[in-house]
Amino acid sequence: AMAVETLLIYTVVSFFYILSPGPAVFLAMSNGLSHGMKVVAVSSLANILGLFCLSAVSIVGLGAILLSSSYLFLAVKIIGAMYLVFLGVKQFFIASRAATIGSGEASLEHKKMTAYFFESFILAVTNPKPILFFIALFPQFLQVDQSVAPQFFVLTSIFMVLSFFVLCGYGYISKSARVLFKKAAFIQWFHRITGGLFIVMGFSLLKLKNNQI
């Protein structure tokens, strides 16, 4: 079994990594503001499933292959960056329609839950940063004299649970802000800022080096 002290250190490091604003956080806040907690929960679930896929890729060594192949890494970066820019442009379209919702209580667009699910899932699996994080972090906490698989599931489960609650927390804060302000102008500017951040993160992703987290 893994030492309690090791798990505590890993949990703290993971928590602050997850807490730092990124694409998933801004998407959760956008969904909380526009659609409510049900969409936030579905989106957060999709995100952690995407993180599980990336974690699995990392642990079986494909992550190392990805990092060693500059062409493959560049391809992943471009796909992730393009998707972030796409989400950013989408936020500006949402902002342009925000004036029609009045008090801000109505949803800006109506989609099936599966659409919100796959939007967040694609966002998660097209972002190479978690792979870099997992590859850098996991070796620090895995005990090589023990079976890797159980340790992988423990570490990944902790990361997924933390991610789910942090994203839901950001979504709830955003939802609460909607209730407090109840102004279309506030919602408009929120989506414009979020859209701008998505686009900036998209371009910054292209600058991500293989040895950076």
Side-chain angles (χ1 to χ4, degrees):
M2 300 184 71
V4 175
E5 294 84 358
T6 301
L7 290 177
L8 283 175
I9 295 171
Y10 170 81
T11 301
V12 171
V13 173
S14 297
F15 175 75
F16 282 104
Y17 175 81
I18 295 164
L19 196 65
S20 61
V25 166
F26 292 117
L27 185 61
M29 293 179 71
S30 175
N31 285 333
L33 183 67
S34 302
H35 310 297
M37 289 306 296
K38 186 176 180 180
V39 170
V40 170
V42 170
S43 179
S44 299
L45 176 63
N47 180 267
I48 65 173
L49 290 175
L51 288 175
F52 178 83
C53 292
L54 293 182
S55 177
V57 164
S58 302
I59 205 69
V60 299
L62 290 179
I65 296 173
L66 186 69
L67 293 181
S68 64
S69 172
S70 58
Y71 292 108
L72 187 56
F73 189 81
L74 179 62
V76 172
K77 285 199 298 181
I78 291 173
I79 292 171
M82 287 175 63
Y83 191 67
L84 281 173
V85 172
F86 165 75
L87 289 180
V89 173
K90 186 178 177 183
Q91 290 293 316
F92 281 101
F93 278 109
I94 294 175
S96 68
R97 296 199 300 274
T100 64
I101 69 170
S103 65
E105 292 298 323
S107 177
L108 291 175
E109 58 181 334
H110 301 282
K111 296 189 294 188
K112 291 182 179 179
M113 282 295 169
T114 51
Y116 295 111
F117 180 91
F118 284 111
E119 178 182 63
S120 182
F121 183 80
I122 293 171
L123 178 65
V125 298
T126 57
N127 184 4
K129 283 192 79 173
I131 292 181
L132 295 171
F133 178 76
F134 289 137
I135 287 179
L137 196 66
F138 278 2
Q140 313 299 325
F141 296 96
L142 288 174
Q143 295 176 306
V144 293
D145 59 334
Q146 298 182 16
S147 178
V148 172
Q151 297 180 76
F152 158 72
F153 281 110
V154 169
L155 295 177
T156 303
S157 296
I158 291 173
F159 197 89
M160 290 170 69
V161 169
L162 287 174
S163 296
F164 182 82
F165 284 106
V166 167
L167 292 176
C168 285
Y170 274 115
Y172 182 78
I173 291 170
S174 183
K175 177 178 176 291
S176 301
R178 180 184 68 180
V179 175
L180 288 173
F181 289 91
K182 292 187 177 181
K183 291 181 179 178
F186 168 76
I187 296 175
Q188 277 185 309
W189 277 107
F190 175 84
H191 285 294
R192 286 170 183 164
I193 293 170
T194 304
L197 288 170
F198 271 127
I199 292 171
V200 169
M201 284 187 290
F203 284 108
S204 66
L205 192 60
L206 290 174
K207 296 180 180 179
L208 189 68
K209 298 293 188 296
N210 296 37
N211 59 351
Q212 292 179 336
I213 296 178

